[in-house]
Amino acid sequence: MAPTPKVISDKDEMRNWSRSMRAQGKRIGLVPTMGFLHAGHLSLVAQARSHSDVVAVSIYVNPVQFGPTEDLATYPSDFHGDLRKLAALPGGVDVVFHPPNLYDYGGPPVSSGPAHESWVRVEKLELGLCGKSRPIFFRGVATVVTKLFNIVEPDVAMFGKKDYQQWRIIQRMVRDLDFSIQVIGAEITRDNDGLAMSSRNVHLSPEEREKALSINKSLLRAKSAAKDGQVHCEKLRNLVIKCITDAGGRIDYAEIVDQNNLEKVEQIKSPVVFCVAAWFGKVRLIDNMEINL
Ligand code: AMP
């Protein structure tokens, strides 16, 4: 087992660490997370290691990406457990960046709100899918990832395709704003029963978890129907919506979109991704499946 990773909570110290690594000619990999780590996160860390010489994992629950009625207060955390999991990885990780608050600048608030007033928006890509029901989510994500990129100054950053829209938004932001960072998308890690791993799965009751398996099952059925020639997206969407609804889930969206621009597709002619968000009790889960015919 590797030693417990070095933990840095101060952003200047974090930047100094990265700069000293770069001065030694090391390539820096960053894995941004909100903690409560599972095997999906750990697979990102392992892949970051294969693309870099030193690996930083950030653990920070970013408050500004949660809407007022969302689950910020109940978002799970287990910082010491996370450190143990990271230390148990082959090679461990070199540093964990765990800031207390990335939006406290020590000054007075701006016009009675928090002092922070600058935002990054990826205007078109953020509109559909999760952006519809979570209108400030991607603004919060793009902003915190920009801050992490500026603090850690990585050469490569790993994002999971589990959050497909987020991955594409970060890639677009990096392109549009000329960050000198390679953004790599990692495949979805699933439990043995097919459920995509998520920190939020811990909130599912056993019954809800059973129902939630309908997401992956229905996506697999849709993919195989597409491979068998069913290229009409309406038909494929109906199949997935029915399967999840029959199981007791409540659909937020089920859309087949272009893999790159995330625009809705009527007929599958080029690589698409079938993206789903659905509620099981009080837990909202997302999942997706790429379909390359
Ligand atoms: P989170 O802590 O949920 O913000 O996730 C941190 C990173 O891990 C994001 O890039 C996610 O897309 C990625 N991730 C979360 N769950 C999975 C999973 N099951 N498979 C692959 N990547 C994941």
Side-chain angles (χ1 to χ4, degrees), residues 32-34 38 41 44 75 159-160 162-163 187-189 197:
T33 81
M34 299 208 298
H38 51 64
H41 297 114
L44 265 59
Y75 198 84
F159 288 85
K162 154 89 169 25
D163 300 87
E187 298 305 325
I188 301 176
T189 304
M197 289 194 181

Side-chain angles (χ1 to χ4, degrees), residues 128-130 132 164-165 219 233-234 236-238 240-241 244 251-258 262-266 268 272-277 287-291:
L129 305 173
C130 286
K132 269 201 184 136
Y164 206 91
Q165 188 177 14
L219 286 174
C233 295
E234 199 50 36
L236 297 170
R237 286 183 64 235
N238 289 341
V240 164
I241 292 169
I244 295 174
I251 298 280
D252 178 356
Y253 64 77
E255 299 289 354
I256 299 174
V257 298
D258 179 273
L262 305 186
E263 278 171 18
K264 278 188 208 172
V265 166
E266 309 254 306
I268 305 180
V272 294
V273 53
F274 199 148
C275 297
V276 172
D287 199 347
N288 67 74
M289 195 155 289
E290 288 179 328
I291 303 177

